[in-house]
Amino acid sequence: MSVVVPCYRYGHFLPACVRSILGQEGVDVDVLIIDDASPDDSAAVARRLADEDARVRVMVHEVNRGHIATYNEGLAAVHGEYVVLLSADDLLAPRSLANATALLDAQPDVGLVYGFTRSFSTEPPPARTTPRSWSVWSGEEWLRLLCLRASNPISTPEVVMRATTMRDLVGYDARLPHAADFLLWLRTANRAAIGRVNGVDLAYYRVHGANMHMERYPGALRDLTERKRAFDILFEEDGAHLPDAAALREAADRGVAREALVVACRAYRRGRPSDEEAEVLARLVELAEQIWPPSRGSRLRRSYDAQVARADRGKGPLLPRRLAELRDRGIDHLRWRRFRRSGIDGALGWL
């Protein structure tokens, strides 16, 4: 089992990350840290960790190559039967690798295993370590579910992949700097079955100010634009090998459009956005219309238009801000509970 740890300016997080890997029970593990020319002491920290444990190797870039190139270099340089990509600021949960590889060992047709990742900011909460069950989908079934929901149910930290599958896919696609992981999962499902370990925590995602994807509406616009592009690349380059590719692509377009409209509607339900926010929200609605032209007549679009008109007349939202936030929080909680239980995200709205 090999774990690749890409690092850029996260030297202060590295020791905890590596400890969470080396402390895994029930597996033989090796670690490759790749420092992408960090301006801080990350390389020195990585070398010290390698000096302390022979299972740790270090590669240091003289020039920054970017995260996708760093990911792929690391994944190509390891030789374990299974591989994990773990950012230097994240952690593996106790028994994470043993729980994931047990499924891979028992199901040779499974190319990727995931589970549940918990978020934390300072200290990670206690982990659930005893699996309740496994879920195994055929790649075709899992891909269909993702197209219908147009959402990414996986955080990178909890993914364990069969090395042969990763080599077949040739790693992450540099054309999608913010959605290369999503495209990798889609492409994996086109080649192998997908498994999930239920009832346990496989990883911890550290929330801090330097995380990617932390902007609000601009982040949503970028995420949905790249998610659409990921689907496009999948269907354009792998579509010949996908059953019902045309229907799946239509479902994916509809799903991305729905998510864009949901974000825009929610923003106006919480009060009049600033001019800069309103501009980004209008671009989200334009994106939905471009992707799925029938969205112009959808319930969500009518709701958005009505809320914009109301705001332009100087009127507040129909619901008080607090009630709107409670409503959205309740929907998100139900969606989160469904995901935590089943491993497949639920849609926020309908067209």
Side-chain angles (χ1 to χ4, degrees), residues 222-248:
R222 180 182 61 196
D223 177 64
L224 289 168
T225 300
E226 289 223 350
R227 203 180 302 175
K228 160 65 173 168
R229 180 62 180 142
F231 280 122
D232 286 346
I233 291 173
L234 174 75
F235 292 116
E236 289 164 7
E237 299 183 0
D238 299 5
H241 308 290
L242 289 171
D244 299 322
L248 288 176

Side-chain angles (χ1 to χ4, degrees), residues 23-45:
Q24 292 289 310
E25 300 176 359
V27 293
D28 294 324
V29 65
D30 60 82
V31 181
L32 173 60
I33 303 171
I34 304 187
D35 180 66
D36 193 22
S38 296
D40 63 2
D41 64 345
S42 293
V45 172

Side-chain angles (χ1 to χ4, degrees), residues 276-320:
E276 292 81 5
E277 290 174 333
E279 181 179 348
V280 176
L281 296 171
R283 289 172 62 192
L284 277 166
V285 174
E286 290 172 7
L287 176 67
E289 188 171 321
Q290 292 167 5
I291 294 172
W292 182 255
S295 70
R296 288 191 296 266
S298 69
R299 179 183 62 81
L300 284 170
R301 177 60 184 270
R302 292 195 300 272
S303 175
Y304 168 82
D305 289 341
Q307 291 178 86
V308 171
R310 188 177 177 86
D312 289 344
R313 294 195 301 270
K315 296 184 177 181
L318 292 173
L319 284 177

Side-chain angles (χ1 to χ4, degrees), residues 26-298:
V27 293
D28 294 324
V29 65
D30 60 82
V31 181
L32 173 60
I33 303 171
I34 304 187
D35 180 66
D36 193 22
S38 296
D40 63 2
D41 64 345
S42 293
V45 172
R47 291 187 175 109
R48 185 175 71 246
L49 293 169
D51 290 341
E52 294 171 355
D53 197 302
R55 294 173 292 173
V56 180
R57 291 188 296 141
V58 177
M59 297 172 63
V60 177
H61 291 165
E62 294 298 323
V63 177
N64 183 271
R65 297 180 59 188
H67 64 287
I68 298 295
T70 300
Y71 295 173
N72 290 337
E73 180 184 10
L75 292 167
V78 295
H79 306 289
E81 181 181 3
Y82 306 124
V83 294
V84 172
L85 181 74
L86 184 69
S87 177
D89 55 334
D90 295 331
L91 307 171
L92 292 181
R95 293 198 58 79
S96 168
L97 300 183
N99 284 329
T101 56
L103 193 161
L104 286 162
D105 289 341
Q107 302 282 343
D109 59 329
V110 170
L112 178 155
V113 168
Y114 69 109
F116 188 75
T117 292
R118 303 189 71 175
S119 298
F120 76 106
S121 55
T122 53
E123 292 296 324
R128 301 170 299 158
T129 58
T130 303
R132 182 183 72 243
S133 62
W134 293 341
S135 295
V136 176
W137 297 268
S138 69
E140 180 181 343
E141 178 186 10
W142 196 77
L143 184 58
R144 182 181 62 82
L145 290 171
L146 259 64
C147 289
L148 288 171
R149 290 162 174 79
S151 60
N152 185 357
I154 298 179
S155 301
T156 300
E158 85 268 25
V159 169
V160 180
M161 286 189 67
R162 204 174 294 276
T164 52
T165 304
M166 178 64 81
R167 285 192 290 270
D168 181 43
L169 293 165
V170 199
Y172 291 78
D173 195 317
R175 290 173 291 181
L176 293 171
H178 300 287
D181 57 347
F182 184 51
L183 179 58
L184 188 66
W185 317 149
L186 295 174
R187 282 180 157 163
T188 300
N190 196 27
R191 290 164 172 79
I194 305 295
R196 185 179 191 262
V197 184
N198 301 317
V200 295
D201 303 313
L202 293 189
Y204 292 107
Y205 176 80
R206 190 187 299 268
V207 178
H208 56 86
N211 290 114
M212 293 183 183
H213 306 298
M214 292 300 287
E215 301 169 80
R216 195 175 186 183
Y217 304 130
L221 177 61
R222 180 182 61 196
D223 177 64
L224 289 168
T225 300
E226 289 223 350
R227 203 180 302 175
K228 160 65 173 168
R229 180 62 180 142
F231 280 122
D232 286 346
I233 291 173
L234 174 75
F235 292 116
E236 289 164 7
E237 299 183 0
D238 299 5
H241 308 290
L242 289 171
D244 299 322
L248 288 176
R249 188 168 193 171
E250 184 176 354
D253 286 348
R254 179 173 179 170
V256 174
R258 178 192 61 233
E259 294 292 299
L261 287 173
V262 166
V263 173
C265 287
R266 279 188 164 197
Y268 275 92
R269 280 205 301 269
R270 295 183 178 189
R272 183 182 179 89
S274 67
D275 291 343
E276 292 81 5
E277 290 174 333
E279 181 179 348
V280 176
L281 296 171
R283 289 172 62 192
L284 277 166
V285 174
E286 290 172 7
L287 176 67
E289 188 171 321
Q290 292 167 5
I291 294 172
W292 182 255
S295 70
R296 288 191 296 266
S298 69

